[in-house]
């Protein structure tokens, strides 16, 4: 049952990526306009939820919408907003597969940085996953014959 659900999630994600790419590339509307159109739905949904929960609605009316926001809250909002713009730009100027490869590479980079900065120890399954993602980046870039040889050749070219 788990495999069926994972496959269903993968298919839904692929369809969403393809439809989002078609949405961005199919019309000559600017990226900012398209992002505002897409953001409208989340704002509308959030306001409905806020209005229907009386306790939260009363707090907002008494203290204001931004009550309790810290610099960390604003930082998280800014990072998520920038990430959304970055995803939109990636899909508009590249494609959904490039976005997925980039996400995989960023997860690998975050995992490797966690080992250095926070002392996270890699398990065997995480190490295999990291290797698969790294190899998929080489496959997508067209250098899948021998990734180690390709990596060494790039280092030699940059050093020389």
């Amino acid at each position: 049952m788990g495999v069926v659900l994972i496959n269903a999630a993968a298919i839904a994600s692929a369809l969403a990526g393809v439809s989002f790419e078609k949405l961005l590339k199919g019309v000559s509307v600017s990226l900012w306009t398209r992002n505002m159109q897409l953001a409208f739905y989340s704002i509308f949904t959030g306001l409905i939820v806020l209005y229907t929960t009386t306790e939260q609605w009363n707090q907002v009316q008494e203290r204001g919408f931004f009550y309790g926001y810290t610099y960390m809250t604003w930082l998280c909002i800014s990072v998520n907003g920038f990430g959304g713009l970055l995803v939109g730009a990636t899909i508009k100027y590249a494609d959904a597969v490039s976005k997925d490869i980039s996400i995989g590479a960023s997860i690998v980079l975050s995992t490797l940085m966690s080992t250095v900065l926070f002392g996270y120890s890699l398990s065997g399954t995480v190490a295999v996953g990291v290797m698969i993602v790294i190899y998929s980046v080489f496959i997508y870039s067209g250098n899948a014959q021998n990734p180690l040889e390709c990596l060494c050749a790039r280092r030699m070219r940059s050093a020389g």
Side-chain angles (χ1 to χ4, degrees):
M1 183 65 169
V3 174
V4 171
L5 292 175
I6 288 174
N7 285 333
I11 290 170
S13 176
L15 290 174
V18 168
S19 63
F20 186 56
E21 184 175 352
K22 182 170 175 26
L23 179 77
L24 286 177
K25 291 182 178 179
V27 185
S28 62
V29 176
S30 75
L31 185 63
W32 289 99
T33 304
R34 182 62 70 201
N35 278 332
M36 291 305 292
Q37 289 171 343
L38 293 171
F40 171 76
Y41 294 107
S42 62
I43 292 170
F44 184 68
T45 305
L47 288 176
I48 287 175
V49 170
L50 180 66
Y51 184 71
T52 57
T53 54
T54 10
E55 183 181 322
Q56 289 180 355
W57 178 250
N58 291 337
Q59 281 185 347
V60 167
Q61 286 190 332
E62 289 174 14
R63 298 180 178 160
F65 185 79
F66 299 110
Y67 176 78
Y69 278 38
T70 64
Y71 74 94
M72 189 58 79
T73 307
W74 285 109
L75 182 66
C76 289
I77 290 170
S78 301
V79 166
N80 282 320
F82 180 71
L85 292 173
L86 196 58
V87 166
T90 301
I91 290 178
K92 183 165 178 78
Y93 299 112
D95 58 9
V97 176
S98 296
K99 177 190 74 81
D100 293 337
I101 294 290
S102 300
I103 288 172
S106 71
I107 291 171
V108 166
L109 183 62
S110 298
T111 303
L112 295 177
M113 292 304 293
S114 294
T115 61
V116 173
L117 297 175
F118 306 119
Y120 174 74
S121 59
L122 293 177
S123 66
T125 53
V126 172
V128 169
V130 164
M131 295 305 292
I132 290 171
V133 170
I134 291 172
Y135 192 63
S136 72
V137 170
F138 281 102
I139 288 173
Y140 187 70
S141 67
N143 296 320
Q145 296 83 18
N146 188 346
L148 292 177
E149 184 179 303
C150 177
L151 186 62
C152 292
R154 285 186 184 172
R155 282 193 178 172
M156 296 287 280
R157 273 186 259 139
S158 64

